[in-house]
């Protein structure tokens, strides 16, 4: 229940001057009994901005108690509301709910104002996470009404963007996105205090990622990056924003950049937001799994799980890559059983993974059931990413059931959606499935075309396991020595010719990172450990 008072002005000045460390150093040595509630609040704010959440909460609790003792109901409500937000953010919902109740009680004792609107936004957010979207919509509409009567830039932006998120979840994508953009206009013009600037940035970018609006998420992520550079390096927001940037980079295919951002975020957030750090570990694990670094992926998923983050579906897909199909199927079946608590997109990811694994073990009933649930999720959602996921799963199941023509139609639609969404990895995977469906329908020429297109995309991305699997589907692949893929044979020829990784990357128009990953996989397949031994292998098998 923040106020538009001198306290807010002090936050703006402190953030602009990056003086949180000075405030913290000055106030933390004071005798708490000699400090006013406003000074305790200043210490709490400074501790929060320096990523010291426990100290922030302790100081804010003292600010709350002092306000209660002095009879300042408005300030007590403000402190209780902020404590509610901080506890919900730390994953302590019961404590957060308790502080929210205290804030409501104090708010009942003061005239209506902007603070009441903030409380409604918090309650709407809780209702949204609980799945009660009609209740969330009602609460946030009341909040926007208060924002009109008691203009406050922070409240207006919070109410508007929360309303946009709720509308998106209700399937009104265009209206919802328009409200997100409106809130962001206030953010980028510098109208909000730093705390709410960061919250709106994180929520809007996260929502754009939920609906796979990569272009919009990328634009706002860049704006957030510039803003984060103006903050003290100890601030929690740079790490929080970095997670979003990592996911944006992964979705658009910049995997080296994504891994670097996620790895850094996991370090920055460990002390302030362990669950955020766990999410960053998961993001890193997903990237490593896709490039074929299975040991690295295993390590990241294990770190995420240690913190309390369920690393699915990535961990199950890793088990599948390791040949542990029973473990993969069991984990996904369990995760899908509890997925109604998750967002629609996370449910879709789990179900799509279940379709893949179930088809691999020829459990058509399980695959069909998961594909049907995906179709139900996508129906009426208005979200292209859910529709693309559902069409992809439907096409894979139709191919397995021998209905090649229906599969071709489903997968062509899916491929078009993935390309419109600008998700290159998902588009390439759909092309592999389309190639298999075309082959099943008797159209070998078009099947080979789709497979080669997918192989080229996987190569550009550095998705070595997918590249190998797709290459194995091409005619004549069995004749290659050592189980090498066609692309690996190309790399080996250039190695045997004495080319460096940089020269190979330039000649094949791929990254040096991808060349290195190819070499690691090739060395394992050939049973060698050096370039000279690989060269000898090439000459022995008439590859050079």
């Amino acid at each position: 229940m923040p106020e538009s008072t001198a306290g807010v002005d002090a936050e703006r000045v402190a953030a602009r001057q990056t003086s949180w460390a000075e405030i913290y150093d000055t106030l933390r040595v004071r005798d708490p009994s000699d400090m006013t509630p406003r000074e305790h609040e200043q210490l709490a704010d400074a501790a929060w901005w320096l990523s010291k959440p426990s100290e922030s909460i302790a100081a804010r609790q003292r600010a709350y108690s002092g306000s209660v003792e002095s009879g300042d109901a408005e300030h007590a409500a403000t402190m209780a509301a902020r404590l509610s937000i901080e506890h919900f953010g730390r994953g302590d919902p019961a404590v957060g709910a308790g502080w929210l109740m205290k804030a409501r009680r104090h708010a009942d004792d003061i005239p209506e104002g902007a603070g009441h609107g903030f409380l409604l936004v918090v309650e709407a957010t809780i209702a949204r996470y609980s799945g009660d979207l009609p209740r969330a919509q009602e609460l946030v509409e009341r909040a926007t009404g208060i924002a009109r009567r008691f203009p406050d830039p922070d409240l207006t932006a919070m109410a508007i963007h929360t309303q946009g998120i709720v509308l998106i979840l209700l399937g009104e994508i265009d209206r919802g996105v328009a409200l997100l953009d409106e809130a962001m206009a206030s953010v980028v013009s510098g109208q909000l205090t730093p705390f709410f600037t960061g919250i709106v940035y994180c929520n809007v970018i996260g929502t754009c990622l939920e609906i796979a609006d990569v272009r919009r998420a990328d634009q706002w992520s860049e704006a957030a990056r510039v803003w984060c550079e103006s903050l003290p390096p100890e601030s929690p927001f740079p790490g929080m924003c970095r997670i979003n940037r990592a996911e944006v980079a992964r979705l658009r295919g910049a995997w080296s950049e994504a891994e670097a951002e996620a790895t850094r975020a996991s370090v920055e957030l460990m002390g302030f937001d362990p669950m955020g750090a766990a999410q960053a570990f998961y993001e890193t694990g997903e990237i490593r799994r896709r490039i074929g670094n299975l040991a690295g992926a295993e390590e990241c998923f294990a770190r995420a799980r240690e913190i309390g983050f369920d690393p699915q579906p990535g961990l199950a897909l890793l088990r599948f890559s390791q040949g542990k199909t029973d473990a993969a199927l069991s984990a996904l079946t369990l995760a899908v059983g509890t997925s109604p608590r998750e967002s629609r997109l996370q449910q879709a990811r789990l179900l799509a993974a279940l379709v893949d694994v179930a088809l691999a073990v020829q459990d058509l009933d399980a695959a069909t059931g998961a594909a049907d649930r995906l179709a139900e999720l996508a129906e009426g959602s208005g979200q292209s990413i859910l529709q693309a996921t559902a069409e992809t799963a439907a096409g894979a199941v139709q191919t397995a059931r021998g209905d090649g023509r229906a599969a071709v139609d489903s997968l062509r639609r899916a491929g078009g959606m993935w390309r419109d969404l600008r998700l290159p990895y998902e588009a390439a995977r759909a092309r592999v499935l389309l190639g298999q469906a075309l082959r099943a329908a008797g159209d070998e020429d078009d099947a080979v075309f789709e497979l080669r297109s997918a192989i080229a995309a996987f190569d550009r991305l550095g998705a070595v396991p997918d590249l190998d699997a797709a290459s194995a589907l091409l005619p004549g692949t069995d004749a290659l020595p050592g189980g090498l893929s066609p692309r690996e044979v190309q790399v080996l020829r250039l190695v045997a010719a004495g080319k460096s990784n940089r020269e190979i990357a330039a000649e094949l128009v791929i990254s040096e990172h991808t060349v290195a990953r190819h070499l690691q996989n090739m060395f394992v397949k050939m049973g060698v450990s050096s370039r000279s031994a690989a060269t000898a292998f090439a000459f022995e098998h008439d590859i050079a």
Side-chain angles (χ1 to χ4, degrees):
M1 190 168 173
E3 307 162 301
S4 295
T5 64
V8 168
D9 292 337
E11 184 193 2
R12 284 199 177 98
V13 171
R16 185 166 56 248
Q17 296 176 344
T18 62
S19 59
W20 290 119
E22 296 174 19
I23 294 172
Y24 176 78
D25 289 340
T26 299
L27 293 177
R28 73 184 180 91
V29 297
R30 294 267 304 275
D31 184 343
S33 63
D34 292 335
M35 293 170 61
T36 68
R38 301 286 174 163
E39 288 173 327
H40 284 301
E41 179 188 5
Q42 276 192 312
L43 176 58
D45 289 342
W48 190 91
W49 281 98
L50 295 174
S51 297
K52 300 177 185 293
S54 297
E55 292 185 45
S56 172
I57 286 174
R60 209 173 301 280
Q61 287 174 342
R62 290 193 293 271
Y64 167 79
S65 297
S67 296
V68 171
E69 291 173 7
S70 65
D72 188 344
E74 185 170 4
H75 193 248
T78 299
M79 292 300 94
R82 178 64 184 266
L83 283 164
S84 174
I85 292 171
E86 291 191 31
H87 279 290
F88 275 115
R90 282 167 60 91
D92 300 326
V95 181
W99 281 110
L100 180 59
M101 182 62 71
K102 282 186 175 294
R104 286 177 185 148
R105 290 188 184 280
H106 291 297
D108 289 341
D109 296 332
I110 58 178
E112 184 183 60
H116 294 81
F118 280 105
L119 281 179
L120 289 169
V121 171
V122 175
E123 292 180 59
T125 301
I126 294 170
R128 170 168 67 86
Y129 278 114
S130 301
D132 190 350
L133 295 181
R135 173 68 173 160
Q137 187 174 29
E138 177 213 341
L139 291 166
V140 78
E141 285 176 354
R142 288 167 55 192
T144 55
I146 291 176
R148 285 192 292 271
R149 294 192 298 276
F150 302 94
D152 178 282
D154 288 337
L155 172 59
T156 300
M158 287 295 293
I160 286 174
H161 96 275
T162 302
Q163 187 175 26
I165 294 171
V166 172
L167 286 172
I168 287 170
L169 293 173
L170 289 169
E172 298 187 47
I173 307 295
D174 292 341
R175 283 185 62 202
V177 167
L179 289 175
L180 298 187
D181 288 345
E182 182 182 351
M184 287 303 301
S186 298
V187 169
V188 297
S189 62
Q191 296 178 33
L192 309 190
T193 56
F195 180 74
F196 290 102
T197 293
I199 288 180
V200 176
Y201 262 131
C202 289
N203 288 346
V204 168
I205 297 168
T207 301
C208 290
L209 290 170
E210 279 286 310
I211 59 175
D213 191 340
V214 179
R215 182 184 300 177
R216 182 173 266 102
D218 198 9
Q219 291 171 349
W220 292 135
S221 289
E222 177 58 22
R225 182 191 64 77
V226 173
W227 175 71
C228 284
E229 289 176 352
S230 71
L231 299 176
E234 304 89 348
S235 166
F237 278 122
M240 294 160 68
C241 291
R242 208 178 298 285
I243 297 176
N244 287 333
R245 287 208 297 280
E247 187 171 356
V248 169
R250 173 174 61 80
L251 290 172
R252 59 182 170 82
W255 290 355
S256 295
E257 175 189 341
E259 183 176 3
E261 292 280 20
T263 300
R264 186 171 173 186
S266 64
V267 174
E268 292 174 339
L269 292 174
M270 183 57 75
F272 177 82
D273 180 9
M275 288 304 291
Q279 184 181 347
F281 278 123
Y282 178 80
E283 192 68 30
T284 306
E286 273 288 78
I287 297 161
R288 291 179 177 177
R289 179 183 66 81
R290 291 184 179 187
I291 65 176
N293 182 1
L294 302 189
E298 179 94 49
E299 178 185 356
C300 289
F301 291 148
R303 292 294 304 277
R305 176 177 267 180
E306 287 169 6
I307 297 169
F309 185 94
D310 186 17
Q312 299 297 356
L315 181 57
L317 293 172
L318 174 64
R319 294 285 176 259
F320 180 67
S321 297
Q322 294 168 332
K324 302 174 183 178
T325 54
D326 289 343
L329 193 60
S330 175
L332 287 169
T333 301
L334 178 62
V336 164
T338 59
S339 67
R341 297 197 300 251
E342 306 287 351
S343 69
R344 280 188 177 186
L345 181 57
Q346 178 62 6
Q347 291 180 58
R349 288 169 174 158
L350 292 167
L351 289 165
L354 180 55
V355 170
D356 289 345
V357 175
L359 287 177
V361 299
Q362 298 183 335
D363 188 343
L364 286 181
D365 289 340
T368 301
D372 288 345
R373 287 182 61 183
L374 270 170
E376 293 170 5
L377 270 180
E379 186 176 2
S381 69
Q383 295 188 29
S384 297
I385 188 169
L386 296 181
Q387 293 161 355
T389 304
E391 290 282 13
T392 302
V397 170
Q398 287 160 349
T399 300
R401 290 193 173 280
D403 193 352
R405 279 299 159 196
V408 168
D409 292 340
S410 296
L411 292 164
R412 286 197 191 282
R413 288 192 295 271
M417 292 179 193
W418 291 124
R419 287 189 289 276
D420 288 344
L421 288 166
R422 299 192 175 193
L423 301 181
Y425 177 71
E426 288 76 9
R429 293 189 73 245
R431 296 196 91 146
V432 172
L433 292 171
L434 177 57
Q436 293 173 300
L438 287 164
R439 178 171 287 164
D443 192 345
E444 182 64 18
D445 288 344
D446 280 353
V448 170
F449 173 82
E450 293 296 337
L451 291 171
R452 290 193 184 281
S453 297
I455 288 167
F458 289 140
D459 203 12
R460 288 192 297 271
L461 290 166
V464 175
D466 290 280
L467 186 150
D468 288 348
S471 297
L473 297 173
L474 289 175
T477 303
D478 292 342
L480 296 176
L484 297 176
S485 70
R487 177 58 105 184
E488 288 171 342
V489 169
Q490 287 181 303
V491 173
L492 182 56
R493 284 197 180 103
L494 294 172
V495 168
K499 302 283 188 179
S500 67
N501 284 12
R502 176 174 295 183
E503 290 170 328
I504 295 171
E507 184 156 340
L508 298 180
V509 197
I510 56 178
S511 70
E512 289 185 60
H513 185 80
T514 300
V515 174
R517 179 58 56 190
H518 277 309
L519 288 173
Q520 290 178 23
N521 290 343
M522 290 159 54
F523 285 1
V524 172
K525 291 180 181 181
M526 294 184 293
V528 302
S529 58
S530 67
R531 296 174 85 93
S532 59
T535 299
F537 181 97
F539 279 101
E540 289 170 8
H541 294 85
D542 296 323
I543 292 175

